[in-house]
Amino acid sequence: MKRNKFLLAVGVLTALLLGACSHGKHDSSAPVPVNTNTSGYADTTGGANQLGNAAEDARTAAERALTNNIVYFDYDSSVIKEEYKSVVSAYARYLSANPAAKVRLEGHTDERGSREYNIGLGERRANAVRDALTAAGVTPAQIAVISYGKERPAVEGHDEAAWSQNRRVQIIRL
Amino acid sequence: MTMLKSLSAALALLLALVIAPAQAQLQITVTNGDVGALPIAIVPFTQVGSVRVDVAQVVENDLVRSGRFRAMSRDEMRQKPNQPAQFDPAPWRSQGTDNVVVGQVLDDGKGGYVARFFLLDSLSGKSVVAYDIPVRGPEQMRYAAHQIADIVYEKLLGLPGYFNTKIAYVSAQGLGYQRTYQLIVADSDGEQPRVIATSRETLMSPNWSPDRKQLVYVGYERGRSAIYLHTLASGQVRKLVSEKGINGSPVFSPDGTKLAFVLSFEINPDIYVMDVSGGNRRRLTDHYGIDTEPAWSPDGSKLVFTSDRSGRPQIYEISVAGGEPTRLTFQGSQNLRPSYAPDGKSLLFVNVDGGRQRIALQDLPGGALHLLSNGPLDEGPSFAPGGAVIIYSSQGPHGRQLETVSVDGRVRLTMRQATGDVQEPAWSPLLK
């Protein structure tokens, strides 16, 4: 019991130290490619494999399509823009073809506005992606929605370069 | 590293889990004082040897940080009386200090102490206030000092003191996977921080019960949010609400029997009211917009809340009985996170205008808007008890920090941690 507490304490200490070290790691001025998970959070998308047959190639292509798993939004908007509709449709195809597969849609906002309003806005964005998926034939039971509002920025920074990367829905395969 | 060394490091951290780590300690700076500050002298108290706290220093810090007082330095004091009989008013008068606080900390003969103090007037030479404050043990000594500051503040300014109070806030350290959140309760001067909750997920929206024995807050667990009720004396935590979707913005009613909060499981975010015991839950608003951030009027008859039903977030008022909400804010592109002043005569909120996000106070009903901060990313305002001071969170040079401002905008204070972010401040009510 005592030992467990020590281990827990050491774990927390390590976490705090690591946390302190990771500060400043993100450089908001660095160019960040669109549709790349820059958050440091879980991206469970599998890597492409190198097997040679046609079926495997098709699967690899499908997998590759799923690596674009972020939909970005305009300020205070939950409208899915034209350029991100392909992200949604790739996931719609994947979920329709794999009825046992599930995703979690994580809604995020930039840091402007109050925390709880942003929780609402993040949910509205995630719901917009959910509605687009179900409209494309995905079963609602395959989709979970959660909003983190402005609590989990992908990029640190207090300018539009950072904000535009933070207004997003991340599609996480479960 | 030897085994012994790592064990002692771990031990130190175990202690730190109860008493917040040094990095969570708030450093307080007065950034803008009141030019009309009242001169006062707080003479060092004569204290029994076992007392470690410099009571007079705690009193002085409270009064000076209020911005309403200017304290004489100890070097300038020509005498250091500890009771009225030793008080010679002439030198104090000649140095321009009308008000002098003197006192002693005595053993009460029962294992505790008595903090005895006098507020002396160097014009009349008389004692204006005299109190014996019982102190159960050394750990209570700072509270006695804050009580003395409250009494002096109220006597000289005619406003309720707010020093013997607590501030709850969220401290966040690290980024991404490594980010750790702590809900901390500290004394109003930032001292004695205690960790109430620790999480790898965000902690938000702490709110005090009117008897200040409990806090409600929002946490996340396994991909789901919930409203938690924490009882301070026992450390007991109860999960009050965890519906699918949003569980947010919990606030105690002024009589402490009800909570208003936000749920989205019935389609989208709306305001709900429920008994603290968990019964009689009802939905108060029903709109396809985001309705959030409710706050009770002081008499408990109305609530204000944020809603984007008109397109952008603005502030609305609704009767606790329900009905059609009335829009209260029209200036600026957005107005969010409202609360009533303790006297109900003004509304405190976040105003967004010209790309700046600032703290605003608006007279009710429909009066002028006063901007109290400079932005650009200020948020989460709430009143200190008594309503003379507002606390909020701003973007500082090294992370988010807390700031306080007097309602007239003249006195400003910054409270920051050495590292990380400090946000979501909530000032406790006065102890009644």
Side-chain angles (χ1 to χ4, degrees), chain B residues 78-99:
Chain B
R78 294 184 208 156
Q79 49 171 227
K80 289 185 178 153
N82 66 19
Q83 54 186 294
Q86 300 172 349
F87 180 57
D88 173 10
W92 303 97
R93 203 160 53 223
S94 70
Q95 285 175 286
T97 299
D98 301 348
N99 302 295

Side-chain angles (χ1 to χ4, degrees), chain A residues 150-162:
Chain A
K150 60 160 138 172
E151 305 303 313
R152 288 181 161 200
V155 177
E156 286 283 294
H158 311 294
D159 52 20
E160 180 55 32

Side-chain angles (χ1 to χ4, degrees), chain B residues 329-377:
Chain B
T329 53
F330 296 90
Q331 283 174 260
S333 56
Q334 299 185 12
N335 292 287
L336 315 97
R337 205 359 172 94
S339 55
Y340 293 91
D343 66 3
K345 290 178 181 165
S346 54
L347 191 67
L348 176 68
F349 53 90
V350 174
N351 171 266
V352 183
D353 201 2
R356 278 163 99 188
Q357 188 171 308
R358 296 189 278 182
I359 307 305
L361 200 56
Q362 180 178 306
D363 301 330
L364 289 175
L369 183 130
H370 312 277
L371 291 165
L372 291 179
S373 74
N374 294 319
L377 287 165

Side-chain angles (χ1 to χ4, degrees), chain B residues 40 53 56 75 100 113 115 137 173 196 222 257 316 321 328 330 368 423:
Chain B
I40 195 165
V53 175
D75 302 340
V100 182
Y113 305 94
Q173 305 277 342
I196 299 303
R222 281 182 235 112
T257 63
Y316 293 77
L328 296 181
F330 296 90
Q423 57 204 36

Side-chain angles (χ1 to χ4, degrees), chain B residues 8-334:
Chain B
S8 64
L11 253 182
L13 202 90
L14 271 182
L15 288 173
L17 287 175
V18 185
I19 300 170
Q23 63 189 4
Q25 177 78 47
L26 296 173
Q27 310 296 325
I28 302 186
T29 329
V30 178
T31 48
N32 196 21
D34 188 346
V35 283
L38 214 57
I40 195 165
I42 318 292
V43 181
F45 284 24
T46 307
Q47 305 185 162
V48 291
S50 55
V51 176
R52 296 269 179 274
V53 175
D54 183 339
V55 171
Q57 192 63 58
V58 175
V59 175
E60 181 177 314
N61 289 348
D62 282 351
L63 294 175
V64 168
R65 284 170 187 165
S66 77
R68 306 295 182 191
F69 292 91
R70 186 155 44 84
M72 178 187 274
S73 84
R74 291 178 175 184
D75 302 340
E76 290 176 89
M77 296 175 186
R78 294 184 208 156
Q79 49 171 227
K80 289 185 178 153
N82 66 19
Q83 54 186 294
Q86 300 172 349
F87 180 57
D88 173 10
W92 303 97
R93 203 160 53 223
S94 70
Q95 285 175 286
T97 299
D98 301 348
N99 302 295
V100 182
V101 175
V102 303
Q104 305 171 55
V105 179
L106 310 161
D107 267 319
D108 71 354
K110 294 175 282 185
Y113 305 94
V114 172
R116 172 173 296 169
F117 83 98
F118 304 87
L119 171 59
L120 306 171
D121 179 355
S122 71
L123 298 175
S124 68
K126 286 185 182 148
S127 165
V128 182
V129 160
Y131 270 90
D132 270 355
I133 298 175
V135 187
R136 285 201 310 277
E139 71 286 350
Q140 301 291 319
M141 196 57 73
R142 297 192 69 90
Y143 303 132
H146 293 311
Q147 278 179 274
I148 294 171
D150 281 345
I151 292 165
V152 171
Y153 184 91
E154 179 151 10
K155 185 70 196 173
L156 294 176
L157 299 179
L159 301 165
Y162 55 90
F163 307 112
N164 193 24
T165 51
K166 306 266 187 187
I167 299 171
Y169 56 91
V170 173
S171 163
Q173 305 277 342
L175 285 177
Y177 272 134
Q178 306 305 335
R179 198 154 169 87
T180 305
Y181 296 83
Q182 293 182 308
L183 176 59
I184 292 175
V185 171
D187 296 351
S188 74
D189 59 357
E191 296 288 332
Q192 310 196 88
R194 295 280 193 280
V195 178
I196 299 303
T198 301
S199 177
R200 301 301 291 277
E201 302 262 25
T202 189
L203 296 168
M204 294 172 59
S205 306
N207 181 264
W208 292 87
S209 65
D211 65 5
R212 74 182 204 181
K213 289 178 179 166
Q214 295 181 309
L215 280 162
V216 278
Y217 62 90
V218 174
Y220 284 65
E221 199 179 16
R222 281 182 235 112
R224 196 162 176 152
S225 67
I227 294 169
Y228 296 90
L229 175 70
H230 183 106
T231 303
L232 290 167
S234 64
Q236 185 205 26
V237 181
R238 197 150 64 89
K239 194 189 282 184
L240 276 187
V241 190
S242 184
E243 296 290 355
K244 207 175 153 200
I246 295 169
N247 300 268
S249 292
V251 276
F252 279 99
S253 63
D255 67 4
T257 63
K258 292 184 177 64
L259 284 173
F261 52 97
V262 174
L263 299 175
S264 69
F265 76 111
E266 293 184 281
I267 295 180
N268 77 329
D270 281 309
I271 313 288
Y272 289 71
V273 174
M274 181 181 85
D275 294 345
V276 175
S277 57
N280 295 319
R281 190 167 87 189
R282 67 190 167 90
R283 183 168 163 189
L284 189 61
T285 67
D286 181 1
H287 194 277
Y288 56 81
I290 295 169
D291 292 346
T292 188
E293 299 171 341
W296 299 81
S297 63
D299 67 1
S301 70
K302 294 176 290 189
L303 291 137
V304 276
F305 62 98
T306 308
S307 175
D308 67 353
R309 56 186 62 204
S310 64
R312 295 281 183 217
Q314 294 290 348
I315 292 160
Y316 293 77
E317 185 175 66
I318 190 171
S319 163
V320 74
E324 194 55 35
T326 313
R327 182 170 164 181
L328 296 181
T329 53
F330 296 90
Q331 283 174 260
S333 56
Q334 299 185 12

